[in-house]
Amino acid sequence: MTEDRRERQQPEPVGRFALWFALAAPVVIWVVFLNVGYVLIGMECYWSIFPFSAWGLSGLRLVLIGMTVLSAVGIILASIIGLANWRAVGGERGPQRDPTGRYRFMVIAGLILSGIFFLQLVWSSVHIILTDLC
């Protein structure tokens, strides 16, 4: 009976790693960015762990800008993988490759989360440039 079921199942239109990466990576990247940033700001204000400066910016500000850029690259990579997943499941042509709609739902959710958390990353980074960190 299980052999019959396996024969009737269609192949997955998208690999599970790519599907889950596009869905979860933006959230995880933003949470790590936010928490590590708060820890670094607290340590800098209390112990002054970044004694260097460059281009008129403090060491902490440079580290946080670097973290922001790396986080943005990670979220954009998740978006690109999500777009590739969208094309793999058939895009707007309908459920030819995904009759249950599960993959299409997860791909759309991943693309929406990528956009939301990219905007949240930008919004979370505004204070790095505009305000005093300590």
Side-chain angles (χ1 to χ4, degrees), residues 26-80:
V27 179
V28 171
I29 289 169
W30 178 75
V31 167
V32 169
F33 164 79
L34 195 65
N35 288 314
V36 170
Y38 278 137
V39 168
L40 289 178
I41 290 171
M43 290 173 68
E44 173 66 17
C45 293
Y46 189 71
W47 290 306
S48 188
I49 60 172
F50 299 110
F52 62 91
S53 65
W55 304 296
L57 299 171
S58 68
L60 174 64
R61 205 173 296 268
L62 289 171
V63 169
L64 292 176
I65 289 171
M67 280 179 39
T68 303
V69 169
L70 287 175
S71 299
V73 166
I75 292 174
I76 289 169
L77 178 65
S79 300
I80 291 169

Side-chain angles (χ1 to χ4, degrees), residues 13-14 82-98 103-104 107:
V14 177
L83 186 60
N85 291 344
W86 174 249
R87 290 181 179 152
V89 296
E92 293 183 2
R93 291 190 302 261
Q96 294 99 348
R97 297 184 194 160
D98 182 22
Y103 290 100
R104 288 174 51 87
V107 167

Side-chain angles (χ1 to χ4, degrees), residues 7-23:
E7 289 175 9
R8 283 187 268 155
Q9 285 181 345
Q10 295 179 350
E12 294 179 348
V14 177
R16 287 187 182 183
F17 178 77
L19 187 67
W20 282 103
F21 181 81
L23 184 67

